[in-house]
Amino acid sequence: AAPFLAAVSEWGGGHFRRFLPADDAEAVAEWAARLVLSHLQEPHDLVVLTDPRRVRHLVQTYLLPGLRVGIPA
């Protein structure tokens, strides 16, 4: 998984650099990839990625709080 995560970090980091410093952007990209891989390896009925309401809940509950760390309130 390491080569895949490295590639995703580099690729995704390019997209997140519009919003974050380069080091943080790559870390966020890797973290997002790990969330996706985790879901693919252990899918659960509660996480239905085709349901916008459930995806919104997933993003607001697990992804956004991690992105807000270190951002002044």
Side-chain angles (χ1 to χ4, degrees), residues 2-4 6 8-10 13 22 24 27-28 30 33-35 37-38 45 50 54 56 58 60 65 68 70 73:
F4 172 77
V8 169
S9 296
E10 185 177 331
D24 292 340
V28 167
E30 180 178 337
R34 287 178 181 275
L35 284 173
L37 285 175
S38 177
D45 292 343
T50 57
R54 289 186 178 181
R56 188 176 305 108
L58 176 71
Q60 291 174 344
R68 290 184 181 135

Side-chain angles (χ1 to χ4, degrees), residues 1 8 10 15 21 24 30 32 39 42 47 53 63 67 73:
V8 169
E10 185 177 331
H15 295 283
D24 292 340
E30 180 178 337
H39 174 70
E42 295 291 333
V47 181
R53 183 180 58 81
L63 186 61
L67 295 177

